[in-house]
Amino acid sequence: AQSVTQLDSQVPVFEEAPVELRCNYSSSVSVYLFWYVQYPNQGLQLLLKYLSGSTLVKGINGFEAEFNKSQTSFHLRKPSVHISDTAEYFCAVSDLDKGGSEKLVFGKGTKLTVNP
Amino acid sequence: NAGVMQNPRHLVRRRGQEARLRCSPMKGHSHVYWYRQLPEEGLKFMVYLQKENIIDESGMPKERFSAEFPKEGPSILRIQQVVRGDSAAYFCASSPGPTHLHFGAGTRLSVL
């Protein structure tokens, strides 16, 4: 069974500092990987996804992530954060079964707090 | 094109009552997924439906929970005889096929 580990439950940073949110997954097959952001009392919004091709994936709001197959990681980065990036971030891996359903397995989330 | 619509946004029930959560997928989307988010946890898959069919219900509790996606109307997640442990945020997502999911804003269920 697939699983996702987000190593940091909380990450506090100062505004304009760089940030990296870590994500490791376990899977015996090729996977698709996703990062979602959840603002307070809202649903999840897709930041970026890796399906195939280039291992460096660029997403919305200046975020990017790098797929590293040998380390089974998909860390999320942003070179300079804003106060508005304060939210919870979820890493997810797809569990494409034979039926083709996109059943996502989520990590427990990382709360990013950007301080002035 | 409106996004995935869930209602109600907040639902309060007393133990033993029934909870009905509704989800209207995005226009043109025929795949619906339900996820549950417990406090301090990530989302957990519950069920995957297409019109009039349950495709995968491997994440659904064996008792009290059911889901449907009728030919007409929204998808419904129904919880009978709610208990305090059912308190959570329930998210619906839709997709046009096996591509990335579009999530609704969720229904936050509180059981008193």
Side-chain angles (χ1 to χ4, degrees):
Chain A
Q2 295 176 335
S3 66
V4 175
T5 302
Q6 291 184 245
L7 297 162
D8 306 298
S9 60
Q10 298 191 45
V11 173
V13 294
F14 288 108
E15 194 173 16
E16 297 183 7
V19 71
E20 178 180 82
L21 305 183
R22 295 180 293 171
C23 172
N24 287 87
Y25 66 93
S26 67
S27 174
S28 59
V29 297
S30 297
V31 295
Y32 296 168
L33 294 155
F34 306 81
W35 275 99
Y36 284 86
V37 60
Q38 184 181 31
Y39 298 101
N41 297 317
Q42 294 188 28
L44 276 71
Q45 180 182 359
L46 180 68
L47 273 178
L48 50 79
K49 60 183 176 181
Y50 171 78
L51 304 182
S52 64
S54 172
T55 57
L56 183 62
V57 181
K58 293 191 182 296
I60 62 171
N61 301 342
F63 284 93
E64 63 181 31
E66 186 155 19
F67 170 57
N68 187 319
K69 187 174 183 178
S70 63
Q71 297 187 5
T72 60
S73 68
F74 191 54
H75 301 331
L76 181 70
R77 302 186 184 99
K78 186 169 182 177
S80 175
V81 294
H82 302 290
I83 299 284
S84 59
D85 292 323
T86 295
E88 190 154 21
Y89 293 78
F90 292 94
C91 181
V93 61
S94 69
D95 187 11
L96 282 171
D97 61 19
K98 293 178 181 177
S101 71
E102 191 170 337
K103 185 169 66 179
L104 296 177
V105 177
F106 284 87
K108 290 190 175 183
T110 297
K111 289 183 181 176
L112 175 65
T113 302
V114 181
N115 298 302
Chain B
N1 187 8
V4 178
M5 304 300 292
Q6 290 189 249
N7 68 81
R9 291 292 308 276
H10 301 274
L11 182 61
V12 179
R13 286 287 178 266
R14 296 189 181 280
R15 281 178 296 171
Q17 291 184 319
E18 179 179 285
R20 279 180 178 250
L21 288 62
R22 294 175 185 78
C23 168
S24 296
M26 289 181 70
K27 188 176 181 181
H29 287 192
S30 58
H31 300 241
V32 166
Y33 302 76
W34 285 93
Y35 286 79
R36 177 166 64 174
Q37 184 180 30
L38 295 169
E40 307 300 322
E41 295 283 330
L43 278 72
K44 295 282 196 284
F45 169 80
M46 299 182 76
V47 62
Y48 161 45
L49 311 104
Q50 294 180 18
K51 286 283 188 182
E52 301 184 277
N53 285 304
I54 296 174
I55 308 301
D56 182 347
E57 57 181 347
S58 58
M60 288 279 271
K62 294 287 185 269
E63 298 177 347
R64 302 187 297 108
F65 285 71
S66 62
E68 63 178 10
F69 188 18
K71 187 177 180 180
E72 301 290 338
S75 175
I76 305 287
L77 179 67
R78 182 183 177 204
I79 311 172
Q80 295 178 291
Q81 299 175 328
V82 296
V83 300
R84 288 214 174 113
D86 297 332
S87 295
Y90 291 83
F91 290 95
C92 171
S94 72
S95 71
T99 59
H100 86 262
L101 308 182
H102 297 258
F103 282 86
T107 294
R108 281 154 181 83
L109 172 66
S110 297
V111 179
L112 304 179

